[in-house]
Amino acid sequence: MTARSDIEAITERIRQRSKVGRERYLGRIAEASNQTANRAVLSCGNLAHGFAVCSPSEKLALGADKVPNLGIITSYNDMLSAHQPFETFPALIKEAARAAGGIAQVAGGVPAMCDGVTQGQPGMELSLFSRDVIAMSAAVGLSHNMFDAAVFLGVCDKIVPGLVIAALTFGHLPAVFIPAGPMTTGLPNDEKAKVRQLYAEGKAGRAELLEAESKSYHGPGTCTFYGTANSNQMLMEIMGLHTPGASFVNPGTPLRDALTREATRRALAITALGNAYTPVGRMIDERSIVNGVVGLHATGGSTNHTIHLIAMAAAAGIALTWQDISDLSEAVPLLARVYPNGLADVNHFHAAGGLGFLIRELLDEGVLHEDVQTVWGEGLRPYAVEARLGADGSVVREASPRASGDEKVLAPFNKAFQPTGGLKVLAGNLGHAVIKTSAVKPERRIIEAPAKVFDSQQGLNDAFKAGTLTGDFIAVIRFQGPKANGMPELHKLTTVLGILQDRGQRVALVTDGRMSGASGKVPAAIHVTPEAVEDGPIARIHDGDIIRLDADAGTLEVLVPGTEFALRRTAEADLIGNEFGFGRELFAGFRQLVGRADHGASAFGTA
């Protein structure tokens, strides 16, 4: 089935815009495939170093290029719940590779930081840049040129986008992404949020708050809300980088291990030494990128991906823009309600039919490109399935059920929660911004109110404690962009603004920073571009200026006469406190090189 005409028109627009960059990219990976895709180009000394710890038979096979060798890139650490399960994956992958007649080696590790740990802390200013560090770290591992394919072990916020950038940079190699899955359901996310608000109001103590947080984040796996980490897993599956049905199976289960073994066998099969050579740089094309954006809208996914998808696409020579993302939002309905867009978590979403159900619904309506290549083979239709454990311990798949298991969590296409996607791009005399609408009630999507201006999230929190945040207002938090301080997530604002909204005030947020992938019920125009430190209009807003945020019309305006606004001096902020401590001094070069948010906020440039 072909994609609907409006989806195809946007895809063709991206294809034409990307033509030169894409051709250049494909030429590079073709050259790499011809010259460096096997170990024959390595000297005897190179090979001896590369397989020194292998068995004699493995050395013979690798030296003669007789068997495929998988490079494992892992984000394992045992402090973070999402990555701790990866501890056992390399051994499992090596065992599965040997059984299938191949070899696997850990090519390298990449850092994996948790935004949940660094929220509101200095380390958060390294978070966005860690994506590019992860891409470079993976490149170091793969640069040894010992591998016929790579398998990537990553889950959370910046890790998966960084790994995708690396995979596409080594686009002559096949790449399979192997997830670890979400933790089991703990304290419901809405109950945890209530305790956070009570704590912020002084109605609950630290011990009570810590108990609630610990019951929510309680074991191995990703957090169960639908933030950036679980949006990553959706993207990898709908873009064909996972095996079908792999995303949301809990860690430490027989099915999870069976999926990992299967992914290993598939990675071996799609090498140049196998029967279905599938270099990832050719596999991921404009249709795959559009499918990722469609999935993001249909599930109400993380706003962070309005940055990451652009950077990921650029790594494949594809020029994706915010306008493309915005236009696709108008064409894609919201089919999922997962916290913060609803009360359910990702385990409930998976139980209701999960990605298999959602992919089938979107394919049947022509909203996804079916004619794509995936790590599983030709076409996206094989992903409209549920993965189960067979009697012999292998993975078996069956067609997703025709009916949702819970239409309050996962709706069929003809009963969509809203006719448009969960994200919207705003434009106006303040530049461009992104807003997540899926969790914001329709009556709160338009707000016109005076500005209260702060140069840090701490400034707003101090004003809240002082009791000065009265009446309706739009909080403007500036000097939070990528060049200013690394574009940290401003998640601490969520609780304060949520309390004020619950008290009956009409409030909103405008910022050149980011919010958490769990952006919630308060309307928030984020990623404002150009940022304040680049003399963006946000740096000319004064306290009391009337701002109009209209998420329905897609506009963001300061209602000040144009001539007066243009003549204002831009504010300056003292950023010296953001330049040192917690490793921030090591990232000064990133702050200088980084591009705009709407260009992917990358140090690597654009497509």
Side-chain angles (χ1 to χ4, degrees), residues 265-290:
R265 293 192 293 271
R266 188 59 192 168
L268 293 170
I270 62 176
T271 67
L273 295 175
N275 296 320
Y277 179 45
T278 309
V280 69
R282 287 195 172 275
M283 187 192 95
I284 296 295
D285 63 10
E286 295 85 356
R287 294 166 298 179
S288 308
I289 296 296
V290 167

Side-chain angles (χ1 to χ4, degrees), residues 91-109:
L92 196 64
I93 291 167
K94 291 177 182 182
E95 176 190 349
R98 283 193 296 269
I103 298 170
Q105 296 177 294
V106 175

Side-chain angles (χ1 to χ4, degrees), residues 402-532:
R402 298 305 303 182
S404 167
D406 187 345
E407 291 189 1
K408 294 180 180 178
V409 176
L410 182 58
F413 197 93
N414 62 358
K415 295 181 181 178
F417 296 114
Q418 64 184 48
T420 57
L423 301 174
K424 187 97 170 182
V425 175
L426 307 176
N429 63 3
L430 289 178
H432 289 82
V434 173
I435 187 169
K436 186 173 185 175
T437 59
S438 51
V440 179
K441 292 182 179 180
E443 63 268 21
R444 296 192 181 277
R445 294 179 185 173
I446 302 172
I447 178 169
E448 186 175 306
K452 291 184 184 288
V453 183
F454 304 91
D455 290 344
S456 70
Q457 64 176 334
Q458 189 58 48
L460 183 136
N461 287 332
D462 290 344
F464 173 74
K465 291 175 183 177
T468 60
L469 297 180
T470 57
D472 297 346
F473 69 93
I474 294 181
V476 177
I477 316 294
R478 58 195 184 187
F479 297 103
Q480 305 299 309
K483 282 190 178 295
N485 62 352
M487 207 180 188
E489 289 185 350
L490 307 176
H491 191 45
K492 277 191 170 182
L493 303 175
T494 303
T495 300
V496 168
L497 293 174
I499 290 170
L500 297 175
Q501 182 170 276
D502 289 348
R503 290 176 180 174
Q505 294 173 242
R506 291 185 61 79
V507 296
L509 172 67
V510 173
T511 181
D512 51 7
R514 294 184 296 125
M515 289 292 282
S516 166
S519 303
K521 61 188 181 182
V522 175
I526 61 177
H527 307 174
V528 172
T529 305
E531 62 176 291

Side-chain angles (χ1 to χ4, degrees), residues 39 61-62 65-70 97 100-104 146-149 267-269 271-274:
R39 286 168 295 284
L62 288 173
D65 270 340
K66 291 182 177 179
V67 300
N69 187 25
L70 300 184
I103 298 170
M146 286 286 295
F147 309 108
D148 300 282
L268 293 170
T271 67
L273 295 175

